[in-house]
Amino acid sequence: MKRRDDNTIVLPLGGMNCAACAAAVEKSLRAVPGVKSARVNFAARRARVEVGAGKVPVAELKKAVAAAGYYVPEAGGEEEARLREVADYRRRFLFSLVFALPLLAAAMGPHMGVPLPDFISRHDALVQLLLTTPIVIAGFGFYRRGLLPLLRGRAPTMDTLVAMGTGAAYLYSLAVSLPEWLGRVPPGTGELYYEVAGFLITFILLGKWLEAVARGRASSAVRELISLAPPRAAVIRDGREQTIPAAEVVPGDLVLVRAGQKIPADGVVVSGRSSVDESMISGESIPVAKEPGDEVIGATVNQLGAITFRAERVGEESVLGRIIRLVEEAQASKAPIEVLADRVAARFVPAVAAVAAAAFVFWLASGQPLPFALRVAITVLIIACPCALGLATPTAVMAATGLGARKGILVKNAAALQTAAEIAVVALDKTGTLTRGRPEVTEIVPLSGGDAGTVLAAAAALEKNSEHPLASAVMKKAASAGVTAPAAENFQAIPGGGVEAEIGGEPCLLGSAALMKERGVEIASAAETISRLEGEGGSVLLLARGGRLEGVLAAADSPRPGARRAVEDLKRMGMEVWMITGDNPRTAEAVARGVGIENQLAGVRPDGKAEAVAGLRGRGRKVAMVGDGINDAPALARADLGIALGSGTGVAIESGDIVLVRDEIADVAAALRLTRWAFRKIKQNLFWAFFYNAAAIPIAAGVLYLPYGFLLNPMIAGAAMAFSSVSVVLNSLTIARFRG
């Protein structure tokens, strides 16, 4: 159990066998006072519970799960529970198979011309009973889980269909055998269905075993992420080095990491120098140099010398912890397309039971003997499979989000996966997204008889307290030129315009041409210079002192490597690509031309980007906004899909619907291709799950018997049911073939 916050609780679940089970758990959880909503992911075996302002005790939620007939594994025991489930189904299947093979020979041998020993021929019913009973015992869980809920007034499940179908075959055969054993009828008089019950249970156990193995592969991403963290950590407490479990590291601990060891938490280096392999986060294979004051990220690998760092973020608060949390929550979420499947699955079992009863009555009324009608009813009960419907979407979501996490693409929920697959327009922020976000001052043009050094010094004084990327460029230029910035007072940032302050008691402005015009500063004398610099792709800053223009600075922000190729990839996918920027139209045109974008919206203030995105959405096509996840947050939220580029260490990991941890613009197209591929698999799964049941149930009911004399064998029905779920899971696993 994990309480994500005061309002969200994620519960692991055990004992579920079909989508109807998940629906029963959801209903029970929603009945708990204080629970606002509950969503159960059958494939992930997790419940995501949203509660109100007042805390709901986890014990109450566990009671609700138990009341529905299922359980919550102990903390940390989910993987053990999954492995136990796989081992249990494997053991039961192999045990059943030992008895099913001779049962098949005893039941079908005479019909196939295979001679049997005289003892078996004379005591055929008894031999079949003795061989079938151990198989029924091996499948006792189907009867316990399928029939007890009915006795307690709860909704039937897939196990109910299995219990009813195999139970009817077993009990009917027993009823036919009794007169023979009592000597009232000759041996072989009645039609027996022991082999139907035995082989159906064997097939279903095989299907459950294969399904559990395949589901484990689909959900392996979280286990792989968890395995990245080192199990032990060396901490320095009370002046002594101690080796403790990494999970026990707390913020403030001094942690020693030697060459070749993994870093157990996020923190800041306090001593030592080394190089760290951060490819797990950045995708960059070149090690990053670390020295005192630099940040380190948990689960990355220290390559060279020993370093000591102060732990700051541990456990779920670390970068790896947040990534794991996002993947878990994505795998526990539901896509909108899943709603239809859930509705069908919730009503499926009662509907199948009704169809089986109707077919039984119909064939009896039409003059067929009781064994014939019973065989049809059993076949209908067995062939139906709501499990395939319940697994269709979540297994694909699990496989896609897991693969994405391994590639540095974090899809935060299943709804985002579906939306991403429907995107037609991609809007890209310029600074920090299409460009490096690290502009450099390329030219300084003094005016009014001044010199470049004076202009740069004044600009540095004004930008000293600003956090804008252009401010960093000015400060870096001043430092490299050896220019000392004078003191500035009464600093004020002007959003989307620039900055203002007083230098030597004189009011000064540094910013855009629009800001100068707004403040009444005459800039006509610099129009030609401004036009030239903007035409070259530079962002222009104008410096005014005392209401008079004193100089022009140009800063260029070069495109990211691969930006043009990324744009071309999006276009090849049929996307309409736009660039949104606060820069002036000439600069925007130069940058857009350089990366191959024909459509741009320039001069957009930060607070206007959301409205720009809304305008693109207003044309009736789904829009994705790509930004750095910090100052683009409103636009990311306004888009149909927000894609945040970020290193995974800051606000970016909490922004947007998809987070590109490696901070690579090329991953935008890769993320959209992955979601399209995954959504195609979801639709394939749902189609085949619906098609299977739509075709199989009528055939099982005997619609082909009157015109063609064809009646489905119950054992074939059992095999088809068992493998329908497996096929859905295996189709989802083909998502792993995605290469980006």
Side-chain angles (χ1 to χ4, degrees):
M1 184 281 297
K2 297 184 179 180
R3 186 182 284 273
R4 298 304 191 196
D5 49 50
D6 287 343
N7 301 106
T8 306
I9 301 170
V10 176
L11 292 170
L13 299 171
M16 294 195 306
N17 282 279
C18 69
C21 303
V25 176
E26 279 187 356
K27 183 178 179 181
S28 187
L29 286 171
R30 287 170 183 159
V32 176
V35 171
K36 294 172 62 178
S37 68
R39 299 196 304 272
V40 174
N41 185 312
F42 167 51
R45 299 299 200 266
R46 287 178 180 273
R48 182 178 172 84
V49 184
E50 303 288 341
V51 300
K55 289 186 177 180
V56 175
V58 174
E60 293 298 314
L61 300 179
K62 289 183 176 180
K63 286 181 182 178
V65 173
Y70 309 96
Y71 67 95
V72 176
E74 293 300 319
E78 299 168 55
E79 178 62 7
E80 290 78 3
R82 187 190 70 81
L83 293 174
R84 282 199 304 270
E85 179 187 30
V86 172
D88 182 60
Y89 278 128
R90 178 179 180 273
R91 184 173 58 252
R92 290 176 183 275
F93 163 68
L94 293 177
F95 176 83
S96 298
L97 188 63
V98 169
F99 295 93
L101 293 177
L103 173 63
L104 181 65
M108 304 302 295
H111 302 290
M112 300 173 65
V114 178
L116 296 175
D118 185 60
F119 174 82
I120 294 178
S121 299
R122 285 187 291 108
H123 303 285
D124 182 46
L126 179 61
V127 170
Q128 290 193 42
L129 173 68
L130 293 176
L131 290 171
T132 304
T133 302
I135 301 175
V136 171
I137 293 172
F140 181 73
F142 297 126
Y143 300 96
R144 176 175 52 82
R145 293 188 300 264
L147 300 179
L148 284 181
L150 296 181
L151 298 177
R152 295 172 180 172
R154 294 200 296 267
T157 67
M158 181 63 208
D159 289 331
T160 306
L161 297 181
V162 174
M164 291 172 62
T166 60
Y170 183 83
L171 293 176
Y172 174 81
S173 300
L174 188 61
V176 170
S177 302
L178 284 174
E180 178 182 320
W181 296 334
L182 294 174
R184 296 177 181 174
V185 297
T189 302
E191 190 169 353
L192 302 177
Y193 288 107
Y194 286 118
E195 83 283 0
V196 171
F199 253 85
L200 285 179
I201 292 174
T202 303
F203 277 134
I204 294 167
L205 287 171
L206 173 61
K208 291 293 183 182
W209 173 33
L210 296 177
E211 178 191 319
V213 172
R215 276 194 292 105
R217 290 177 56 195
S219 62
S220 64
V222 172
R223 296 194 299 276
E224 291 179 16
L225 288 170
I226 292 173
S227 70
L228 293 174
R232 313 285 291 177
V235 300
I236 301 172
R237 294 176 178 172
D238 301 324
R240 294 188 304 107
E241 180 182 332
Q242 305 175 34
T243 301
I244 63 173
E248 295 180 10
V249 175
V250 297
D253 270 340
L254 290 178
V255 185
L256 174 64
V257 185
R258 295 181 172 85
Q261 294 181 338
K262 286 186 176 182
I263 295 170
D266 298 355
V268 177
V269 177
V270 296
S271 66
R273 285 174 168 77
S274 184
S275 294
V276 176
D277 178 2
E278 295 185 343
S279 57
M280 182 272 292
I281 292 293
S282 66
E284 178 57 60
S285 59
I286 299 175
V288 180
K290 299 293 181 182
E291 59 183 28
D294 290 338
E295 288 192 355
V296 290
I297 303 171
T300 56
V301 182
N302 184 27
Q303 296 279 51
L304 299 175
I307 56 173
T308 301
F309 73 94
R310 179 176 289 104
E312 292 189 344
R313 296 180 299 276
V314 301
E316 286 199 353
E317 297 306 314
S318 67
V319 171
L320 180 63
R322 284 183 287 171
I323 290 174
I324 290 172
R325 182 173 76 242
L326 288 177
V327 175
E328 286 181 334
E329 291 179 351
Q331 294 187 341
S333 64
K334 289 187 177 183
I337 197 173
E338 198 171 350
V339 174
L340 175 61
D342 282 352
R343 288 176 179 170
V344 172
R347 296 166 175 78
F348 190 87
V349 174
V352 170
V355 171
F360 179 79
V361 172
F362 171 81
W363 288 113
L364 278 182
S366 65
Q368 294 291 343
L370 177 62
F372 182 98
L374 181 64
R375 176 181 175 180
V376 170
I378 291 171
T379 306
V380 171
L381 290 171
I382 293 301
I383 202 167
C385 188
C387 298
L389 288 171
L391 290 166
T393 298
T395 52
V397 169
M398 291 167 67
T401 54
L403 177 62
R406 287 190 285 271
K407 291 178 173 290
I409 301 168
L410 298 183
V411 182
K412 296 175 75 171
N413 54 64
L417 190 75
Q418 178 172 338
T419 301
E422 301 168 350
I423 291 298
V425 180
V426 177
L428 298 149
D429 174 51
K430 180 180 79 69
T431 304
T433 302
L434 284 168
T435 63
R436 295 177 182 270
R438 297 188 296 271
E440 297 179 350
V441 174
T442 56
E443 191 170 343
I444 302 173
V445 181
L447 303 171
S448 304
D451 60 73
T454 303
V455 172
L456 181 58
L462 289 165
E463 295 284 30
K464 187 181 298 182
N465 295 316
S466 174
E467 297 179 353
H468 195 278
L470 291 178
S472 300
V474 170
M475 299 307 298
K476 183 179 178 181
K477 182 68 174 179
S480 65
V483 171
T484 302
E489 299 176 339
N490 300 322
F491 170 85
Q492 184 176 350
I494 305 168
V499 294
E500 62 179 335
E502 293 180 1
I503 301 177
E506 194 170 19
C508 296
L509 279 174
L510 182 69
S512 65
L515 175 64
M516 298 299 158
K517 292 177 182 178
E518 186 180 303
R519 297 299 180 88
V521 177
E522 188 274 323
I523 62 171
S525 59
E528 186 176 335
T529 300
I530 294 171
S531 178
R532 175 179 63 82
L533 294 174
E534 290 179 344
E536 294 171 355
S539 296
V540 174
L541 293 174
L542 304 179
L543 173 69
R545 187 194 296 263
R548 187 179 72 256
L549 192 65
E550 284 206 343
V552 181
L553 298 89
D557 186 7
S558 59
R560 284 174 177 260
R564 186 177 186 90
R565 182 175 178 180
V567 170
E568 290 172 352
D569 282 350
L570 291 170
K571 289 180 178 179
R572 278 195 292 270
M573 293 173 65
M575 300 291 176
E576 181 182 324
V577 183
W578 286 73
M579 183 182 76
I580 302 178
T581 178
D583 260 337
N584 64 81
R586 281 193 294 267
T587 300
E589 172 64 30
V591 174
R593 187 171 57 250
V595 297
I597 295 178
E598 293 81 23
N599 310 305
Q600 70 264 349
L601 296 171
V604 181
R605 288 175 177 265
D607 56 356
K609 286 185 179 179
E611 293 303 319
V613 170
L616 293 175
R617 291 183 65 197
R619 300 179 306 158
R621 306 178 75 191
K622 288 193 179 294
V623 177
M625 174 67 194
V626 184
D628 61 17
I630 302 172
N631 58 359
D632 296 315
L636 292 172
R638 194 67 177 270
D640 294 291
L641 181 78
I643 302 178
L645 274 73
S647 64
T649 58
V651 181
I653 204 167
E654 304 297 341
S655 305
D657 304 297
I658 295 178
V659 179
L660 306 181
V661 177
R662 298 189 302 190
D663 205 20
E664 292 285 346
I665 184 66
D667 282 348
V668 175
L672 295 177
R673 280 196 294 270
L674 171 61
T675 56
R676 284 185 173 186
W677 176 247
F679 198 60
R680 187 180 304 126
K681 293 297 178 183
I682 289 174
K683 290 192 287 187
Q684 288 173 0
N685 285 348
L686 287 173
F687 170 79
W688 287 113
F690 278 114
F691 177 81
Y692 165 82
N693 283 293
I697 293 176
I699 293 174
V703 296
L704 298 180
Y705 183 75
L706 290 177
Y708 303 109
F710 175 79
L711 193 64
L712 192 64
N713 187 295
M715 288 191 289
I716 295 176
M721 187 279 286
F723 286 99
S724 63
S725 297
V726 177
S727 65
V728 165
V729 179
L730 293 178
N731 188 49
S732 295
L733 289 176
T734 61
I735 290 173
R737 296 207 306 262
F738 173 79
R739 293 291 177 265

PDB file of all heavy atoms in Angstrom, residues 276-279 282-288 303:
ATOM      1  N   VAL A 276      30.499  10.990 -13.370  1.00  0.00           N
ATOM      2  CA  VAL A 276      29.332  10.152 -13.091  1.00  0.00           C
ATOM      3  C   VAL A 276      28.611   9.818 -14.391  1.00  0.00           C
ATOM      4  O   VAL A 276      28.349  10.701 -15.211  1.00  0.00           O
ATOM      5  CB  VAL A 276      28.375  10.862 -12.108  1.00  0.00           C
ATOM      6  CG1 VAL A 276      27.112  10.041 -11.900  1.00  0.00           C
ATOM      7  CG2 VAL A 276      29.071  11.102 -10.772  1.00  0.00           C
ATOM      8  N   ASP A 277      28.300   8.558 -14.553  1.00  0.00           N
ATOM      9  CA  ASP A 277      27.511   8.098 -15.698  1.00  0.00           C
ATOM     10  C   ASP A 277      26.041   8.369 -15.403  1.00  0.00           C
ATOM     11  O   ASP A 277      25.423   7.694 -14.578  1.00  0.00           O
ATOM     12  CB  ASP A 277      27.750   6.609 -15.919  1.00  0.00           C
ATOM     13  CG  ASP A 277      26.916   6.045 -17.067  1.00  0.00           C
ATOM     14  OD1 ASP A 277      26.179   6.815 -17.712  1.00  0.00           O
ATOM     15  OD2 ASP A 277      27.003   4.833 -17.315  1.00  0.00           O
ATOM     16  N   GLU A 278      25.457   9.374 -16.085  1.00  0.00           N
ATOM     17  CA  GLU A 278      24.056   9.750 -15.867  1.00  0.00           C
ATOM     18  C   GLU A 278      23.173   9.314 -17.022  1.00  0.00           C
ATOM     19  O   GLU A 278      22.083   9.859 -17.210  1.00  0.00           O
ATOM     20  CB  GLU A 278      23.945  11.266 -15.658  1.00  0.00           C
ATOM     21  CG  GLU A 278      24.637  11.754 -14.396  1.00  0.00           C
ATOM     22  CD  GLU A 278      24.412  13.233 -14.123  1.00  0.00           C
ATOM     23  OE1 GLU A 278      23.993  13.950 -15.069  1.00  0.00           O
ATOM     24  OE2 GLU A 278      24.646  13.675 -12.985  1.00  0.00           O
ATOM     25  N   SER A 279      23.635   8.325 -17.803  1.00  0.00           N
ATOM     26  CA  SER A 279      22.862   7.902 -18.972  1.00  0.00           C
ATOM     27  C   SER A 279      21.485   7.379 -18.594  1.00  0.00           C
ATOM     28  O   SER A 279      20.552   7.417 -19.390  1.00  0.00           O
ATOM     29  CB  SER A 279      23.639   6.833 -19.753  1.00  0.00           C
ATOM     30  OG  SER A 279      23.938   5.722 -18.923  1.00  0.00           O
ATOM     31  N   SER A 282      19.767  10.971 -18.490  1.00  0.00           N
ATOM     32  CA  SER A 282      19.930  11.865 -19.635  1.00  0.00           C
ATOM     33  C   SER A 282      20.003  11.150 -20.970  1.00  0.00           C
ATOM     34  O   SER A 282      19.782  11.751 -22.017  1.00  0.00           O
ATOM     35  CB  SER A 282      21.198  12.702 -19.456  1.00  0.00           C
ATOM     36  OG  SER A 282      22.348  11.872 -19.502  1.00  0.00           O
ATOM     37  N   GLY A 283      20.369   9.848 -20.959  1.00  0.00           N
ATOM     38  CA  GLY A 283      20.585   9.144 -22.208  1.00  0.00           C
ATOM     39  C   GLY A 283      21.940   9.446 -22.821  1.00  0.00           C
ATOM     40  O   GLY A 283      22.304   8.881 -23.850  1.00  0.00           O
ATOM     41  N   GLU A 284      22.697  10.333 -22.196  1.00  0.00           N
ATOM     42  CA  GLU A 284      24.004  10.722 -22.692  1.00  0.00           C
ATOM     43  C   GLU A 284      25.068   9.793 -22.121  1.00  0.00           C
ATOM     44  O   GLU A 284      25.207   9.664 -20.907  1.00  0.00           O
ATOM     45  CB  GLU A 284      24.309  12.179 -22.295  1.00  0.00           C
ATOM     46  CG  GLU A 284      25.682  12.673 -22.715  1.00  0.00           C
ATOM     47  CD  GLU A 284      25.917  12.555 -24.204  1.00  0.00           C
ATOM     48  OE1 GLU A 284      25.157  13.173 -24.973  1.00  0.00           O
ATOM     49  OE2 GLU A 284      26.855  11.822 -24.594  1.00  0.00           O
ATOM     50  N   SER A 285      25.832   9.141 -23.014  1.00  0.00           N
ATOM     51  CA  SER A 285      26.795   8.142 -22.560  1.00  0.00           C
ATOM     52  C   SER A 285      28.074   8.751 -21.994  1.00  0.00           C
ATOM     53  O   SER A 285      28.831   8.079 -21.293  1.00  0.00           O
ATOM     54  CB  SER A 285      27.150   7.206 -23.719  1.00  0.00           C
ATOM     55  OG  SER A 285      27.695   7.944 -24.802  1.00  0.00           O
ATOM     56  N   ILE A 286      28.340  10.023 -22.286  1.00  0.00           N
ATOM     57  CA  ILE A 286      29.571  10.651 -21.800  1.00  0.00           C
ATOM     58  C   ILE A 286      29.407  10.999 -20.325  1.00  0.00           C
ATOM     59  O   ILE A 286      28.461  11.709 -19.945  1.00  0.00           O
ATOM     60  CB  ILE A 286      29.882  11.924 -22.607  1.00  0.00           C
ATOM     61  CG1 ILE A 286      30.076  11.575 -24.083  1.00  0.00           C
ATOM     62  CG2 ILE A 286      31.121  12.620 -22.051  1.00  0.00           C
ATOM     63  CD1 ILE A 286      30.260  12.773 -24.984  1.00  0.00           C
ATOM     64  N   PRO A 287      30.320  10.527 -19.447  1.00  0.00           N
ATOM     65  CA  PRO A 287      30.216  10.829 -18.012  1.00  0.00           C
ATOM     66  C   PRO A 287      30.273  12.338 -17.750  1.00  0.00           C
ATOM     67  O   PRO A 287      30.901  13.091 -18.498  1.00  0.00           O
ATOM     68  CB  PRO A 287      31.432  10.108 -17.414  1.00  0.00           C
ATOM     69  CG  PRO A 287      31.765   9.045 -18.404  1.00  0.00           C
ATOM     70  CD  PRO A 287      31.439   9.618 -19.742  1.00  0.00           C
ATOM     71  N   VAL A 288      29.611  12.756 -16.678  1.00  0.00           N
ATOM     72  CA  VAL A 288      29.538  14.175 -16.308  1.00  0.00           C
ATOM     73  C   VAL A 288      30.469  14.428 -15.128  1.00  0.00           C
ATOM     74  O   VAL A 288      30.403  13.726 -14.113  1.00  0.00           O
ATOM     75  CB  VAL A 288      28.093  14.564 -15.940  1.00  0.00           C
ATOM     76  CG1 VAL A 288      28.025  16.043 -15.566  1.00  0.00           C
ATOM     77  CG2 VAL A 288      27.146  14.255 -17.100  1.00  0.00           C
ATOM     78  N   GLN A 303      32.000   6.938 -11.618  1.00  0.00           N
ATOM     79  CA  GLN A 303      32.953   6.267 -12.491  1.00  0.00           C
ATOM     80  C   GLN A 303      34.380   6.232 -11.954  1.00  0.00           C
ATOM     81  O   GLN A 303      35.050   5.209 -12.037  1.00  0.00           O
ATOM     82  CB  GLN A 303      32.977   6.970 -13.872  1.00  0.00           C
ATOM     83  CG  GLN A 303      31.659   6.892 -14.626  1.00  0.00           C
ATOM     84  CD  GLN A 303      31.487   5.578 -15.345  1.00  0.00           C
ATOM     85  OE1 GLN A 303      31.649   4.522 -14.764  1.00  0.00           O
ATOM     86  NE2 GLN A 303      31.150   5.645 -16.621  1.00  0.00           N
TER      87      GLN A 303
END
